[in-house]
Amino acid sequence: MSETQAIEQVLVLVKPDGVARGLIGQVIGRAEARGYKVARLELRQATAELLAEHYAEHAAKPFYPALVEYMTAGPVVAMVLEGAQVITAFRAMAGATDPVKAAPGTIRGDFGRDWGTGEIQNIVHASDSPESAAREIAIWFPEA
Ligand code: UDP
Ligand code: MG
């Protein structure tokens, strides 16, 4: 077990569908079971302004209005997980964006489905690179 890897942080959100369905504990539990540290944790209501920063890369996409409606439908749990290679590991644990295609064993593949709505409801968000993790953590936890 190498301890020479740089410690990474990743932003994870339990999205409004995950909170409403009682899956906060499942997400945190899987991160803890894997051995990652919960460095920050907060229940909060996302605003359209905050999401415009968070999802800036998607602002011009046709699904963006539905995505904002989904992400503001109720509170989210924002957290920072910490550990060597946690970004890669947690993206793998989240699974494919579309829960229909997400592999069983992943969060999206175990708890998600197509609800017949326009947007893709998929329980969790996770930063996809060190650059996006740093950017997203600064958006959600500016005091950090
Ligand atoms: N999304 C959607 N429709 C699409 C693509 C994405 O509603 O066709 C939503 C979905 O909730 C997804 C989020 O927008 O998680 C961000 O999309 P991205 O492609 O970055 O997927 P992720 O990084 O979350 O896997
Ligand atoms: Mg993404």
Side-chain angles (χ1 to χ4, degrees), residues 101-124:
K101 295 176 183 141
T106 65
I107 293 167
R108 290 161 168 175
D110 284 351
F111 301 118
R113 54 163 285 192
D114 179 358
W115 297 94
T117 53
E119 78 290 350
I120 297 172
Q121 300 195 15
N122 53 11
I123 302 147
V124 287

Side-chain angles (χ1 to χ4, degrees), residues 24-44:
I24 299 168
Q26 294 277 1
V27 174
I28 297 173
R30 284 179 180 222
E32 289 188 324
R34 202 81 193 270
Y36 296 112
K37 177 184 164 187
V38 179
R40 297 249 164 191
L41 182 66
E42 192 180 324
L43 182 76
R44 56 199 286 185

Side-chain angles (χ1 to χ4, degrees), residues 55 57-58 91 97 125-126 128 136:
Y55 279 135
E57 64 173 321
H58 297 310
R91 282 290 288 194
T97 302
H125 166 83
D128 62 8
E136 292 169 5

Side-chain angles (χ1 to χ4, degrees), residues 53-68:
E53 286 191 71
H54 176 80
Y55 279 135
E57 64 173 321
H58 297 310
K61 307 258 177 80
F63 62 82
Y64 185 73
L67 174 60
V68 173

